[in-house]
Amino acid sequence: MSATLFEDPNEMSRAGKWLCFLAIPSVTGVLWLLWIFVLRLYLLRRYYEKQGIQFVKKCYALVGAEMRVSMLQGKNKSHDWLYTERPTDLFGTIRGFSVQLYGTSAELCEELIAKTGKHVDRDTPALFSFGRLSPYTLTFLPINKWRFRERKVTLTRGMKDNQRLYEIVARQAEEALTRFKITNGSGATINIRELLNHWTRESSGEYIWGKNNVNRYLEVLDCEGQLRCLPFMTALNQTFTELRFYASRFWNRVCFPLAALPLTKESRRLDHNIKILRQATEDMMTTPEEGAVAANVQEANDALGIPIGMTRDDLVTATIAGLDTIKSTVIGTLFHLLEPDNLTWRQQILAEITELKAETGDMYQKLSHAPKLNAFIHETLRYEPPGSLINNAAVKDFDLSSTGGRQYRIKSGTRIVTCIHALHQNEATWSKKVAEDMAPLHVFDPTRFLRHRNDIVGSFCFMPFGKGPWRCPGQGAGVIMVKVFIAAFLTQNSKCRMSVPDNQTKDLTWFNIYSKATFDIHCDDEDQSNPIPYQAS
């Protein structure tokens, strides 16, 4: 006798109901995913394409252009390189759940920044990378909430003691150069990243927290999961960098929140170290050092009744924000200074610094009157800005004007970004706003800042530290740090030369905050009047 699967008709009926019960949510979930990742994004993309906005090549549903971004990262380039092609004033891509538009002209970005807090507000993937260290900091918050404006004022004022900053940075630079034997004729060979890691950590830590307060050690987990005792600033800098690189992995770029979830051993290790670092900063806030930025900001915020957790996060971000940006700016500046083609610039800047040192007065003030040094640093910041995007999203539908009177209609929820890197490479905008008789923008040429400084600095063609409400509050401090280190380096080591690794071609030699490019400095007395090309390490 053959057996049937369901001998009882009632049992068969119950099984059918269960199958239907399971099928309905499954089908609904699949349809929802198709809507979120495919149909909705396709329709929104077509909406913008009909307005004349082009999208980057090889940009697909869900993964967007992230496969191309991976290729760029392999060349030490950041993802904003995709948008320097600038076929239109707005350039589009798909990023995870949303369409993302990049502003590439000065006129459009000026209007976009003016709409901040009204039509657009903060929406940045960084919240899920280094934002895990300080999620309530100003960097990630809308400007009309969480007492943004008051906190921005207290943080900016707390970083205004330029005399103290200069004294710390100059002393730390001299100590670092002496420690690594960076001086003419010493015969030393040192990797530039090793030198600058030490200097930026020591300088930023003392400036923000105070010399004694920051002099503590923490036990954190290393990449192998082993406990290591590290100086506070070393642990903070390493964790900050690891968070950024972890968030830049392929699927974490596709879906930003994945980076903050404890799904991997690496993410859980970082969570452990974050807890240690946050506790350490809270401990330091109980013993503020007079004159330190942390003490000034904490006193002002306490008087305003701002919660201590917000103050802590603002101070953590103030500490770490400059580490990699200042380091990448100094590396880029030194790289161009040590290129054989720029020997004349190096000699002129050294002569300028020597002359300033012979004059009376505070050196930190005199450095602002060093036109050749300032022009060279500004051109480095233009050529490859360390912070290359201002991430925002539309909070309501609005119109955005562009070059030639064109109007774009932006839909709420669209991520819309000022692409600083693209602005710095926009020939049409610079020719119109600055001058036509300049070297092409793909060429490194500090002369443009000597001849047209007043037209460039402060314009919307040039914004290495952002503009408007999202302008970096530590901009002035960062520029001072770069100037002081370059001046100290050239004074002690004007005859050095550099060499790049054998496998690092010129196309791989870029120095954004995600780059792993490097070079060695050789301190000898070779005649630099007849320089030779790069020498492999």
Side-chain angles (χ1 to χ4, degrees), residues 72-78 81 190-197 241 244-245 324 326-336 383-384 498-521 534 537:
L72 286 173
Q73 289 182 341
K75 297 180 179 180
N76 289 320
K77 295 180 178 179
S78 51
W81 277 80
I190 187 67
N191 182 268
I192 186 63
R193 289 191 178 275
E194 183 180 353
L195 170 64
L196 291 178
N197 279 338
T241 303
R244 285 196 297 101
F245 277 96
D324 285 2
I326 291 169
K327 183 165 56 181
S328 63
T329 302
V330 173
I331 291 176
T333 303
L334 285 178
F335 176 81
H336 291 293
Y383 193 70
E384 190 173 18
M498 71 172 174
S499 64
V500 298
D502 288 331
N503 60 348
Q504 184 179 300
T505 63
K506 193 163 187 177
D507 187 51
L508 300 178
T509 307
W510 303 98
F511 299 106
N512 58 79
I513 59 175
Y514 290 98
S515 171
K516 296 181 181 178
T518 188
F519 57 87
D520 287 343
I521 297 171
Y534 305 138
S537 298

Side-chain angles (χ1 to χ4, degrees), residues 379-525:
E379 178 66 354
T380 300
L381 290 167
R382 182 203 67 81
Y383 193 70
E384 190 173 18
S388 52
L389 301 170
I390 303 176
N391 288 282
N392 290 310
V395 295
K396 61 176 70 174
D397 294 358
F398 69 96
D399 293 321
L400 191 60
S401 302
S402 179
T403 308
R406 167 170 270 182
Q407 289 274 334
Y408 296 111
R409 184 65 176 173
I410 308 300
K411 301 293 286 183
S412 176
T414 301
R415 302 187 76 247
I416 186 162
V417 176
T418 298
C419 187
I420 297 172
H421 195 168
L423 288 177
H424 288 187
Q425 298 289 332
N426 193 322
E427 294 282 0
T429 295
W430 281 67
S431 295
K432 179 181 178 181
K433 297 286 187 179
V434 182
E436 296 181 355
D437 58 339
M438 291 187 301
L441 294 174
H442 69 270
V443 175
F444 185 89
D445 181 20
T447 304
R448 73 181 90 246
F449 282 92
L450 286 179
R451 297 173 58 193
H452 306 290
R453 182 186 183 282
N454 292 337
D455 294 320
I456 299 173
V457 176
S459 75
F460 281 83
C461 298
F462 178 69
M463 54 170 83
F465 298 97
K467 291 279 188 185
W470 297 117
R471 176 180 174 179
C472 175
Q475 172 182 343
V479 171
I480 289 174
M481 290 181 71
V482 175
K483 290 179 184 179
V484 170
F485 187 87
I486 297 298
F489 181 93
L490 284 182
T491 301
Q492 290 193 200
N493 197 34
S494 59
K495 297 180 180 180
C496 71
R497 56 188 174 87
M498 71 172 174
S499 64
V500 298
D502 288 331
N503 60 348
Q504 184 179 300
T505 63
K506 193 163 187 177
D507 187 51
L508 300 178
T509 307
W510 303 98
F511 299 106
N512 58 79
I513 59 175
Y514 290 98
S515 171
K516 296 181 181 178
T518 188
F519 57 87
D520 287 343
I521 297 171
H522 304 272
C523 305
D524 51 32
D525 283 321

